[in-house]
Coordinates of all heavy atoms in Angstrom, one line a residue:
M1 N -14.1 -45.5 -11.0 CA -13.0 -45.2 -11.9 C -12.3 -44.0 -11.4 O -12.9 -43.0 -11.0 CB -13.6 -44.9 -13.3 CG -12.6 -44.5 -14.3 SD -13.1 -44.6 -15.9 CE -13.7 -43.0 -16.3
T2 N -11.0 -44.0 -11.3 CA -10.1 -42.9 -10.8 C -9.6 -42.1 -12.0 O -9.2 -42.7 -13.0 CB -8.9 -43.5 -10.1 OG1 -9.4 -44.3 -9.0 CG2 -8.0 -42.4 -9.5
R3 N -9.7 -40.8 -11.9 CA -9.2 -39.9 -12.9 C -8.1 -39.1 -12.4 O -8.1 -38.6 -11.3 CB -10.3 -39.0 -13.4 CG -11.5 -39.7 -14.0 CD -12.5 -38.7 -14.5 NE -13.6 -39.4 -15.1 CZ -14.5 -38.9 -15.9 NH1 -14.4 -37.7 -16.2 NH2 -15.5 -39.6 -16.3
D4 N -7.1 -38.9 -13.2 CA -6.0 -38.0 -12.9 C -6.3 -36.6 -13.4 O -6.7 -36.4 -14.5 CB -4.7 -38.5 -13.5 CG -4.2 -39.8 -13.0 OD1 -4.4 -40.1 -11.8 OD2 -3.7 -40.6 -13.7
L5 N -6.1 -35.7 -12.5 CA -6.4 -34.3 -12.9 C -5.0 -33.5 -13.0 O -4.3 -33.5 -12.0 CB -7.3 -33.6 -11.8 CG -8.6 -34.3 -11.5 CD1 -9.3 -33.7 -10.4 CD2 -9.5 -34.3 -12.8
Y6 N -4.8 -33.0 -14.1 CA -3.6 -32.2 -14.4 C -3.9 -30.8 -14.6 O -4.9 -30.4 -15.1 CB -2.8 -32.8 -15.6 CG -2.4 -34.2 -15.5 CD1 -3.2 -35.2 -16.0 CD2 -1.3 -34.5 -14.7 CE1 -2.8 -36.5 -15.9 CE2 -0.9 -35.9 -14.6 CZ -1.7 -36.9 -15.2 OH -1.3 -38.2 -15.0
N7 N -3.0 -29.9 -14.1 CA -3.2 -28.5 -14.2 C -4.5 -28.0 -13.7 O -5.1 -27.1 -14.3 CB -3.0 -28.1 -15.7 CG -1.7 -28.4 -16.3 OD1 -0.7 -28.2 -15.5 ND2 -1.6 -28.7 -17.5
V8 N -4.9 -28.5 -12.5 CA -6.1 -28.0 -11.9 C -5.7 -26.9 -10.9 O -4.8 -27.0 -10.2 CB -6.8 -29.2 -11.1 CG1 -8.0 -28.7 -10.3 CG2 -7.2 -30.3 -12.1
R9 N -6.4 -25.8 -11.0 CA -6.2 -24.6 -10.2 C -7.5 -24.2 -9.5 O -8.5 -24.3 -10.1 CB -5.7 -23.5 -11.0 CG -4.4 -23.8 -11.7 CD -3.9 -22.6 -12.5 NE -2.8 -23.0 -13.3 CZ -2.5 -22.6 -14.5 NH1 -3.3 -21.7 -15.0 NH2 -1.5 -23.0 -15.2
L10 N -7.3 -23.8 -8.3 CA -8.5 -23.3 -7.5 C -8.8 -21.9 -8.1 O -8.0 -21.1 -8.3 CB -8.1 -23.1 -6.0 CG -7.9 -24.5 -5.3 CD1 -7.5 -24.2 -3.9 CD2 -9.2 -25.3 -5.3
Q11 N -10.1 -21.7 -8.3 CA -10.6 -20.4 -8.7 C -10.9 -19.6 -7.5 O -11.5 -20.1 -6.5 CB -11.9 -20.6 -9.6 CG -11.6 -21.3 -10.9 CD -10.7 -20.5 -11.8 OE1 -10.8 -19.2 -11.9 NE2 -9.8 -21.1 -12.5
P12 N -10.6 -18.3 -7.5 CA -11.0 -17.4 -6.3 C -12.5 -17.3 -6.2 O -13.2 -17.3 -7.2 CB -10.4 -16.1 -6.6 CG -10.1 -16.1 -8.1 CD -10.0 -17.5 -8.5
A13 N -13.0 -17.4 -5.0 CA -14.4 -17.3 -4.7 C -14.9 -15.9 -5.1 O -14.3 -14.9 -4.9 CB -14.7 -17.5 -3.2
E14 N -16.1 -15.9 -5.7 CA -16.6 -14.6 -6.1 C -17.1 -13.8 -4.9 O -17.6 -14.4 -3.9 CB -17.9 -14.8 -7.0 CG -17.5 -15.3 -8.4 CD -18.7 -15.4 -9.3 OE1 -19.6 -14.6 -9.1 OE2 -18.7 -16.2 -10.2
G15 N -16.8 -12.5 -4.9 CA -17.1 -11.7 -3.8 C -16.1 -11.8 -2.6 O -16.3 -11.1 -1.6
G16 N -15.1 -12.6 -2.8 CA -14.1 -12.7 -1.8 C -13.1 -11.5 -1.9 O -13.1 -10.7 -2.8
P17 N -12.2 -11.4 -0.9 CA -11.2 -10.3 -0.9 C -10.2 -10.5 -2.0 O -9.9 -11.6 -2.4 CB -10.5 -10.5 0.5 CG -10.7 -11.9 0.8 CD -12.0 -12.3 0.2
T18 N -9.8 -9.4 -2.6 CA -8.8 -9.4 -3.6 C -7.5 -8.9 -3.1 O -7.5 -8.1 -2.1 CB -9.2 -8.6 -4.9 OG1 -9.4 -7.2 -4.4 CG2 -10.5 -9.1 -5.5
P19 N -6.4 -9.3 -3.5 CA -5.1 -8.8 -3.0 C -5.0 -7.3 -3.3 O -5.5 -6.8 -4.3 CB -4.0 -9.6 -3.8 CG -4.7 -10.7 -4.5 CD -6.2 -10.3 -4.6
L20 N -4.3 -6.6 -2.3 CA -4.2 -5.2 -2.5 C -3.0 -4.9 -3.4 O -2.0 -5.7 -3.4 CB -3.9 -4.6 -1.1 CG -5.0 -4.7 0.0 CD1 -4.5 -4.1 1.3 CD2 -6.3 -4.1 -0.5
T21 N -3.0 -3.8 -4.1 CA -1.9 -3.4 -4.9 C -0.8 -2.9 -3.9 O -1.1 -2.6 -2.7 CB -2.3 -2.2 -5.8 OG1 -2.7 -1.1 -5.1 CG2 -3.4 -2.7 -6.8
E22 N 0.4 -2.6 -4.4 CA 1.4 -2.1 -3.5 C 1.1 -0.8 -2.9 O 1.3 -0.5 -1.7 CB 2.7 -2.0 -4.3 CG 3.4 -3.4 -4.6 CD 4.7 -3.2 -5.4 OE1 5.4 -2.2 -5.1 OE2 5.0 -4.1 -6.2
E23 N 0.5 0.1 -3.7 CA 0.0 1.4 -3.2 C -1.0 1.3 -2.1 O -1.0 1.9 -1.1 CB -0.5 2.3 -4.4 CG -1.0 3.6 -4.0 CD 0.1 4.5 -3.4 OE1 1.3 4.3 -3.6 OE2 -0.3 5.5 -2.7
E24 N -2.0 0.4 -2.4 CA -3.1 0.2 -1.4 C -2.5 -0.4 -0.1 O -2.9 0.1 1.0 CB -4.2 -0.7 -1.9 CG -5.0 -0.1 -3.0 CD -5.8 -1.1 -3.7 OE1 -5.5 -2.3 -3.8 OE2 -6.9 -0.7 -4.3
E25 N -1.6 -1.3 -0.2 CA -1.0 -1.9 1.0 C -0.2 -0.9 1.7 O -0.3 -0.8 3.0 CB 0.0 -3.1 0.5 CG 0.6 -3.8 1.7 CD -0.4 -4.6 2.5 OE1 -1.4 -5.1 1.9 OE2 -0.2 -4.8 3.7
R26 N 0.5 0.0 1.1 CA 1.3 1.0 1.7 C 0.4 2.0 2.5 O 0.6 2.3 3.6 CB 2.1 1.8 0.7 CG 3.1 2.8 1.3 CD 3.8 3.7 0.2 NE 2.8 4.5 -0.5 CZ 2.2 5.6 -0.1 NH1 2.4 6.0 1.2 NH2 1.4 6.2 -0.9
R27 N -0.7 2.3 1.9 CA -1.7 3.2 2.5 C -2.3 2.6 3.7 O -2.5 3.2 4.8 CB -2.8 3.6 1.5 CG -2.3 4.6 0.5 CD -3.5 5.0 -0.4 NE -3.1 6.0 -1.4 CZ -3.9 6.5 -2.3 NH1 -5.1 6.1 -2.4 NH2 -3.5 7.5 -3.1
V28 N -2.7 1.3 3.6 CA -3.3 0.6 4.7 C -2.4 0.6 5.9 O -2.7 0.9 7.1 CB -3.8 -0.8 4.3 CG1 -4.1 -1.6 5.5 CG2 -4.9 -0.8 3.4
R29 N -1.1 0.2 5.6 CA -0.1 0.2 6.7 C 0.1 1.5 7.4 O 0.3 1.7 8.6 CB 1.2 -0.4 6.2 CG 1.0 -1.9 6.0 CD 2.3 -2.5 5.4 NE 2.0 -3.9 4.9 CZ 2.6 -5.0 5.4 NH1 3.5 -4.8 6.4 NH2 2.3 -6.1 4.9
A30 N 0.1 2.6 6.6 CA 0.3 4.0 7.1 C -0.9 4.4 8.0 O -0.7 4.9 9.1 CB 0.4 5.0 5.9
V31 N -2.1 4.0 7.6 CA -3.3 4.4 8.4 C -3.3 3.6 9.7 O -3.5 4.1 10.8 CB -4.6 4.1 7.6 CG1 -5.8 4.1 8.5 CG2 -4.7 5.1 6.4
L32 N -2.9 2.3 9.6 CA -2.9 1.5 10.8 C -1.8 2.0 11.7 O -2.0 2.0 13.0 CB -2.6 0.0 10.5 CG -3.7 -0.8 9.8 CD1 -3.3 -2.2 9.4 CD2 -4.9 -0.9 10.8
F33 N -0.6 2.4 11.2 CA 0.5 2.9 12.0 C 0.0 4.1 12.8 O 0.2 4.2 14.0 CB 1.6 3.3 11.0 CG 2.8 3.9 11.7 CD1 3.8 3.1 12.3 CD2 3.0 5.2 11.8 CE1 4.9 3.6 12.9 CE2 4.1 5.8 12.4 CZ 5.0 5.0 13.0
N34 N -0.7 5.0 12.1 CA -1.2 6.3 12.8 C -2.3 6.0 13.8 O -2.2 6.4 14.9 CB -1.7 7.3 11.7 CG -0.5 7.9 11.0 OD1 0.6 8.1 11.5 ND2 -0.8 8.2 9.7
D35 N -3.3 5.3 13.3 CA -4.5 5.0 14.2 C -4.2 4.1 15.4 O -4.5 4.5 16.5 CB -5.7 4.5 13.4 CG -6.2 5.5 12.3 OD1 -5.8 6.7 12.4 OD2 -7.1 5.1 11.5
L36 N -3.6 3.0 15.1 CA -3.3 2.1 16.2 C -2.2 2.7 17.1 O -2.3 2.5 18.3 CB -2.8 0.7 15.7 CG -3.8 0.0 14.8 CD1 -3.3 -1.4 14.4 CD2 -5.1 -0.2 15.6
G37 N -1.2 3.4 16.5 CA -0.2 4.1 17.3 C -0.8 5.1 18.3 O -0.4 5.2 19.4
N38 N -1.8 5.8 17.8 CA -2.4 6.8 18.7 C -3.2 6.1 19.9 O -3.1 6.6 21.0 CB -3.4 7.7 17.9 CG -2.7 8.7 17.0 OD1 -1.6 9.0 17.2 ND2 -3.4 9.1 16.0
V39 N -3.9 5.0 19.6 CA -4.6 4.3 20.7 C -3.6 3.7 21.6 O -3.8 3.8 22.9 CB -5.5 3.3 20.1 CG1 -6.2 2.4 21.2 CG2 -6.6 3.9 19.2
I40 N -2.5 3.1 21.1 CA -1.5 2.5 22.0 C -0.9 3.6 22.9 O -0.6 3.4 24.1 CB -0.5 1.7 21.2 CG1 -1.1 0.5 20.5 CG2 0.7 1.3 22.1 CD1 -0.2 -0.2 19.5
A41 N -0.6 4.7 22.3 CA 0.0 5.8 23.0 C -0.9 6.3 24.2 O -0.4 6.7 25.2 CB 0.4 7.0 22.1
E42 N -2.2 6.3 23.9 CA -3.2 6.7 24.9 C -3.3 5.8 26.1 O -3.3 6.2 27.2 CB -4.5 6.9 24.2 CG -4.9 8.3 23.9 CD -6.3 8.4 23.3 OE1 -7.2 7.7 23.8 OE2 -6.4 9.1 22.3
R43 N -3.6 4.5 25.7 CA -3.9 3.6 26.8 C -3.0 2.4 26.9 O -3.2 1.5 27.8 CB -5.4 3.0 26.6 CG -5.6 2.2 25.4 CD -7.1 1.7 25.4 NE -7.3 0.9 24.2 CZ -8.5 0.7 23.7 NH1 -9.5 1.2 24.2 NH2 -8.6 -0.1 22.7
G44 N -2.0 2.3 26.1 CA -1.0 1.2 26.2 C -1.2 -0.1 25.5 O -0.4 -0.9 25.4
W45 N -2.4 -0.2 24.9 CA -2.8 -1.4 24.2 C -3.9 -1.1 23.2 O -4.6 -0.2 23.3 CB -3.1 -2.6 25.1 CG -4.4 -2.3 25.9 CD1 -4.5 -1.6 27.0 CD2 -5.7 -2.7 25.5 NE1 -5.8 -1.5 27.4 CE2 -6.6 -2.2 26.5 CE3 -6.3 -3.4 24.5 CZ2 -8.0 -2.4 26.5 CZ3 -7.6 -3.6 24.4 CH2 -8.5 -3.1 25.4
V46 N -4.1 -2.0 22.2 CA -5.2 -2.0 21.3 C -5.5 -3.4 20.8 O -4.6 -4.2 20.7 CB -4.9 -1.0 20.1 CG1 -3.8 -1.6 19.2 CG2 -6.1 -0.8 19.3
R47 N -6.7 -3.7 20.6 CA -7.2 -4.9 20.0 C -7.7 -4.6 18.6 O -8.4 -3.6 18.4 CB -8.3 -5.5 20.9 CG -8.9 -6.8 20.3 CD -9.9 -7.4 21.3 NE -9.4 -7.6 22.6 CZ -9.9 -7.1 23.7 NH1 -10.9 -6.2 23.7 NH2 -9.4 -7.3 24.9
F48 N -7.3 -5.4 17.6 CA -7.7 -5.1 16.3 C -8.1 -6.5 15.6 O -7.4 -7.4 15.7 CB -6.6 -4.4 15.5 CG -7.1 -3.7 14.3 CD1 -7.7 -2.5 14.4 CD2 -6.9 -4.3 13.0 CE1 -8.2 -1.8 13.3 CE2 -7.3 -3.6 11.9 CZ -8.0 -2.4 12.0
P49 N -9.1 -6.5 14.8 CA -9.5 -7.7 14.1 C -8.5 -8.1 13.0 O -7.9 -7.2 12.3 CB -10.9 -7.4 13.4 CG -10.9 -5.9 13.4 CD -10.1 -5.4 14.5
A50 N -8.2 -9.4 12.9 CA -7.3 -9.9 11.8 C -7.8 -11.3 11.5 O -7.6 -12.2 12.2 CB -5.9 -10.0 12.3
Y51 N -8.5 -11.4 10.4 CA -9.2 -12.6 10.0 C -8.4 -13.5 9.1 O -8.6 -14.7 8.9 CB -10.5 -12.3 9.3 CG -11.5 -11.5 10.2 CD1 -11.7 -10.2 10.0 CD2 -12.1 -12.2 11.2 CE1 -12.6 -9.5 10.8 CE2 -13.0 -11.4 12.0 CZ -13.2 -10.1 11.8 OH -14.0 -9.4 12.6
S52 N -7.3 -12.9 8.4 CA -6.5 -13.7 7.5 C -5.1 -13.6 7.9 O -4.7 -12.7 8.6 CB -6.7 -13.2 6.1 OG -6.1 -11.9 5.9
P53 N -4.3 -14.5 7.4 CA -2.8 -14.5 7.7 C -2.2 -13.2 7.1 O -1.3 -12.6 7.8 CB -2.3 -15.7 6.9 CG -3.4 -16.6 6.8 CD -4.6 -15.8 6.7
E54 N -2.7 -12.6 6.0 CA -2.2 -11.4 5.5 C -2.5 -10.2 6.5 O -1.6 -9.4 6.7 CB -2.9 -11.1 4.2 CG -2.5 -12.0 3.0 CD -3.5 -11.9 1.9 OE1 -4.5 -11.2 1.9 OE2 -3.2 -12.6 0.9
E55 N -3.7 -10.2 7.1 CA -4.0 -9.2 8.0 C -3.1 -9.3 9.3 O -2.7 -8.3 9.8 CB -5.4 -9.2 8.4 CG -6.4 -8.8 7.3 CD -7.8 -9.0 7.5 OE1 -8.1 -9.9 8.3 OE2 -8.6 -8.3 7.0
R56 N -2.8 -10.5 9.7 CA -2.0 -10.7 10.9 C -0.5 -10.3 10.6 O 0.1 -9.6 11.4 CB -2.0 -12.2 11.3 CG -3.3 -12.6 11.9 CD -3.3 -14.1 12.2 NE -4.6 -14.4 12.7 CZ -5.0 -14.5 14.0 NH1 -4.1 -14.2 14.9 NH2 -6.2 -14.8 14.4
R57 N 0.0 -10.6 9.4 CA 1.3 -10.2 9.0 C 1.4 -8.6 8.9 O 2.4 -8.0 9.4 CB 1.7 -10.7 7.6 CG 2.2 -12.2 7.7 CD 2.8 -12.6 6.4 NE 1.8 -12.7 5.3 CZ 1.1 -13.8 5.1 NH1 1.2 -14.9 5.8 NH2 0.2 -13.8 4.1
R58 N 0.3 -8.0 8.5 CA 0.3 -6.6 8.4 C 0.4 -5.9 9.8 O 1.1 -5.0 10.0 CB -1.0 -6.1 7.7 CG -1.1 -4.7 7.3 CD -2.4 -4.4 6.6 NE -2.4 -5.1 5.3 CZ -3.4 -5.8 4.8 NH1 -4.5 -5.9 5.6 NH2 -3.4 -6.4 3.7
L59 N -0.4 -6.5 10.7 CA -0.3 -6.0 12.1 C 1.0 -6.2 12.8 O 1.5 -5.3 13.5 CB -1.4 -6.6 12.9 CG -2.9 -6.1 12.6 CD1 -3.9 -6.9 13.4 CD2 -3.0 -4.7 12.8
V60 N 1.7 -7.3 12.5 CA 3.0 -7.6 13.0 C 4.0 -6.6 12.5 O 4.8 -6.0 13.2 CB 3.4 -9.0 12.7 CG1 4.9 -9.2 13.0 CG2 2.6 -10.0 13.5
D61 N 3.9 -6.3 11.2 CA 4.7 -5.3 10.6 C 4.5 -3.9 11.2 O 5.5 -3.2 11.5 CB 4.5 -5.2 9.1 CG 5.4 -4.2 8.4 OD1 6.6 -4.3 8.5 OD2 4.8 -3.2 7.9
V62 N 3.3 -3.5 11.4 CA 2.9 -2.2 12.0 C 3.5 -2.2 13.4 O 4.1 -1.2 13.8 CB 1.4 -2.0 12.0 CG1 1.0 -0.8 12.9 CG2 0.9 -1.8 10.6
A63 N 3.4 -3.3 14.2 CA 4.0 -3.3 15.5 C 5.5 -3.1 15.5 O 6.1 -2.4 16.3 CB 3.7 -4.6 16.2
H64 N 6.2 -3.7 14.5 CA 7.6 -3.6 14.4 C 8.0 -2.1 14.0 O 9.0 -1.6 14.5 CB 8.2 -4.5 13.4 CG 8.2 -5.9 13.8 ND1 8.3 -7.0 12.9 CD2 8.0 -6.5 15.0 CE1 8.3 -8.1 13.6 NE2 8.1 -7.8 14.9
R65 N 7.2 -1.5 13.1 CA 7.4 -0.1 12.8 C 7.2 0.8 13.9 O 8.0 1.8 14.1 CB 6.5 0.3 11.6 CG 7.0 -0.4 10.3 CD 6.1 0.0 9.1 NE 6.0 1.4 9.0 CZ 4.9 2.1 8.4 NH1 3.9 1.4 7.9 NH2 4.9 3.4 8.3
L66 N 6.2 0.6 14.7 CA 6.0 1.4 15.9 C 7.1 1.2 16.9 O 7.5 2.2 17.5 CB 4.6 1.0 16.6 CG 3.4 1.5 15.9 CD1 2.1 0.8 16.5 CD2 3.2 3.0 15.9
S67 N 7.6 0.0 17.1 CA 8.7 -0.2 18.0 C 9.9 0.6 17.6 O 10.6 1.2 18.4 CB 9.1 -1.7 18.0 OG 8.0 -2.5 18.6
A68 N 10.2 0.5 16.3 CA 11.4 1.3 15.8 C 11.2 2.8 15.9 O 12.1 3.5 16.2 CB 11.6 0.9 14.3
H69 N 9.9 3.3 15.7 CA 9.6 4.7 15.8 C 9.7 5.2 17.2 O 10.3 6.3 17.4 CB 8.2 4.9 15.2 CG 7.8 6.3 15.2 ND1 8.3 7.3 14.4 CD2 6.9 7.0 16.0 CE1 7.7 8.4 14.6 NE2 6.8 8.3 15.6
W70 N 9.2 4.4 18.2 CA 9.2 4.9 19.6 C 10.5 4.5 20.3 O 10.7 5.0 21.4 CB 8.0 4.3 20.3 CG 6.7 4.9 19.9 CD1 6.5 6.1 19.3 CD2 5.4 4.3 20.0 NE1 5.2 6.3 19.1 CE2 4.5 5.2 19.5 CE3 4.9 3.1 20.5 CZ2 3.1 5.0 19.5 CZ3 3.6 2.8 20.4 CH2 2.7 3.8 19.9
G71 N 11.2 3.5 19.8 CA 12.4 3.0 20.6 C 11.9 2.2 21.8 O 12.7 2.0 22.7
Q72 N 10.7 1.7 21.7 CA 10.1 0.9 22.8 C 9.4 -0.3 22.1 O 8.6 0.0 21.2 CB 9.2 1.7 23.7 CG 8.6 1.0 24.8 CD 7.7 2.0 25.6 OE1 7.6 3.1 25.3 NE2 7.0 1.4 26.6
Q73 N 9.6 -1.5 22.6 CA 9.0 -2.6 22.0 C 7.4 -2.6 22.1 O 6.9 -2.5 23.2 CB 9.5 -3.9 22.5 CG 9.0 -5.1 21.7 CD 9.7 -6.4 21.9 OE1 10.7 -6.4 22.7 NE2 9.4 -7.4 21.3
V74 N 6.8 -2.9 21.0 CA 5.4 -3.1 20.9 C 5.2 -4.6 20.7 O 5.6 -5.2 19.7 CB 4.7 -2.3 19.8 CG1 3.2 -2.6 19.7 CG2 4.9 -0.8 20.0
F75 N 4.5 -5.2 21.7 CA 4.3 -6.7 21.6 C 3.0 -7.0 20.8 O 2.1 -6.2 20.9 CB 4.2 -7.2 23.1 CG 5.4 -7.1 23.9 CD1 5.5 -6.0 24.7 CD2 6.4 -8.0 23.8 CE1 6.7 -5.8 25.5 CE2 7.6 -7.8 24.5 CZ 7.7 -6.7 25.4
V76 N 3.0 -8.1 20.1 CA 1.9 -8.5 19.4 C 1.5 -9.9 19.8 O 2.4 -10.8 19.9 CB 2.2 -8.6 17.8 CG1 1.0 -9.0 17.0 CG2 2.8 -7.3 17.4
E77 N 0.3 -10.2 20.1 CA -0.2 -11.5 20.4 C -1.6 -11.8 19.8 O -2.4 -10.8 19.7 CB -0.2 -11.7 21.9 CG -1.0 -10.7 22.7 CD -0.8 -10.8 24.2 OE1 0.3 -11.0 24.6 OE2 -1.9 -10.6 24.9
A78 N -1.8 -13.0 19.5 CA -3.1 -13.4 18.9 C -4.0 -13.6 20.1 O -3.7 -14.4 21.0 CB -3.0 -14.6 18.1
E79 N -5.2 -13.0 20.2 CA -6.1 -13.2 21.2 C -7.0 -14.4 20.9 O -7.4 -15.1 21.8 CB -7.0 -11.9 21.5 CG -6.2 -10.8 22.1 CD -7.2 -9.8 22.8 OE1 -8.2 -9.5 22.2 OE2 -6.8 -9.4 23.8
D80 N -7.4 -14.5 19.7 CA -8.1 -15.7 19.2 C -7.9 -15.7 17.7 O -7.1 -15.0 17.2 CB -9.6 -15.6 19.6 CG -10.3 -14.3 19.1 OD1 -9.9 -13.7 18.1 OD2 -11.2 -13.9 19.8
E81 N -8.8 -16.5 17.0 CA -8.6 -16.6 15.6 C -9.0 -15.4 14.8 O -8.8 -15.3 13.6 CB -9.3 -17.9 15.0 CG -10.8 -17.9 15.2 CD -11.2 -18.4 16.5 OE1 -10.4 -18.9 17.3 OE2 -12.5 -18.4 16.8
C82 N -9.6 -14.4 15.5 CA -10.1 -13.3 14.8 C -9.6 -11.9 15.2 O -9.9 -10.9 14.7 CB -11.7 -13.2 14.9 SG -12.5 -14.6 14.2
A83 N -8.7 -11.9 16.2 CA -8.2 -10.6 16.8 C -6.8 -10.7 17.2 O -6.3 -11.8 17.7 CB -9.1 -10.2 17.9
M84 N -6.1 -9.6 17.1 CA -4.7 -9.5 17.6 C -4.6 -8.4 18.6 O -5.4 -7.4 18.5 CB -3.7 -9.1 16.4 CG -3.7 -10.1 15.3 SD -2.7 -11.6 15.6 CE -1.1 -10.9 15.5
R85 N -3.7 -8.5 19.5 CA -3.6 -7.4 20.5 C -2.1 -6.9 20.4 O -1.2 -7.6 20.4 CB -3.8 -8.0 21.9 CG -3.7 -7.0 23.0 CD -4.2 -7.7 24.3 NE -4.4 -6.7 25.4 CZ -3.5 -6.4 26.3 NH1 -2.3 -7.0 26.3 NH2 -3.7 -5.5 27.2
L86 N -2.0 -5.6 20.3 CA -0.7 -4.9 20.3 C -0.6 -4.1 21.6 O -1.6 -3.4 22.0 CB -0.6 -3.9 19.1 CG -0.4 -4.5 17.7 CD1 -1.7 -5.2 17.2 CD2 0.0 -3.5 16.7
C87 N 0.5 -4.2 22.3 CA 0.6 -3.5 23.6 C 2.0 -3.2 23.9 O 3.0 -3.8 23.4 CB 0.0 -4.4 24.7 SG 0.8 -5.9 25.0
L88 N 2.2 -2.3 24.8 CA 3.5 -1.9 25.3 C 3.7 -2.8 26.6 O 2.8 -3.4 27.1 CB 3.5 -0.4 25.8 CG 3.3 0.6 24.6 CD1 3.1 2.0 25.2 CD2 4.5 0.5 23.7
A89 N 5.0 -2.9 27.0 CA 5.3 -3.7 28.2 C 4.5 -3.2 29.4 O 4.4 -2.0 29.6 CB 6.8 -3.7 28.4
G90 N 4.0 -4.1 30.1 CA 3.2 -3.8 31.4 C 1.8 -3.5 31.1 O 1.0 -3.2 32.1
H91 N 1.3 -3.7 29.9 CA -0.2 -3.5 29.7 C -0.8 -4.8 29.2 O -0.8 -5.3 28.3 CB -0.4 -2.4 28.6 CG -0.1 -1.0 29.1 ND1 -0.9 -0.3 29.9 CD2 1.1 -0.3 29.0 CE1 -0.3 0.9 30.2 NE2 0.9 0.9 29.7

């Protein structure tokens, strides 16, 4: 017998990540901007874990902010399903 399900919603998994508040998101991006920026300035590249689409979007935004801050493009590429690489041209 087939049943129609109406108004069915997925429940978040217990113990899973919760969305960040605007203030938390702002702080995380500021810390990534400073920490990743320092490493990129030192060696020209950095590898950082990104397990979710939100984390990947966050790293892309940080790369764009670094590019605007330095006046030099910071490239972003996915190394695999778990890590992103941010680098300057030639690295």
Side-chain angles (χ1 to χ4, degrees):
M1 172 164 97
T2 303
R3 295 182 183 199
D4 293 326
L5 302 174
Y6 298 100
N7 296 324
V8 175
R9 297 181 190 145
L10 292 175
Q11 295 293 322
E14 288 187 29
T18 59
L20 300 177
T21 65
E22 288 182 32
E23 176 65 19
E24 291 169 333
E25 185 67 34
R26 187 187 62 74
R27 286 180 175 182
V28 167
R29 288 175 191 245
V31 168
L32 289 173
F33 179 85
N34 288 329
D35 292 352
L36 298 181
N38 289 338
V39 174
I40 294 169
E42 258 182 45
R43 67 178 180 202
W45 65 276
V46 67
R47 180 179 299 122
F48 199 79
Y51 300 106
S52 70
E54 292 165 357
E55 292 172 332
R56 290 175 183 266
R57 280 191 292 273
R58 190 176 296 131
L59 290 175
V60 168
D61 179 63
V62 167
H64 290 164
R65 289 180 54 205
L66 287 169
S67 294
H69 181 71
W70 289 336
Q72 180 178 0
Q73 185 167 2
V74 176
F75 297 96
V76 183
E77 55 189 38
E79 287 200 322
D80 56 30
E81 62 274 355
C82 298
M84 300 282 285
R85 184 172 191 263
L86 287 72
C87 63
L88 297 172
H91 289 278

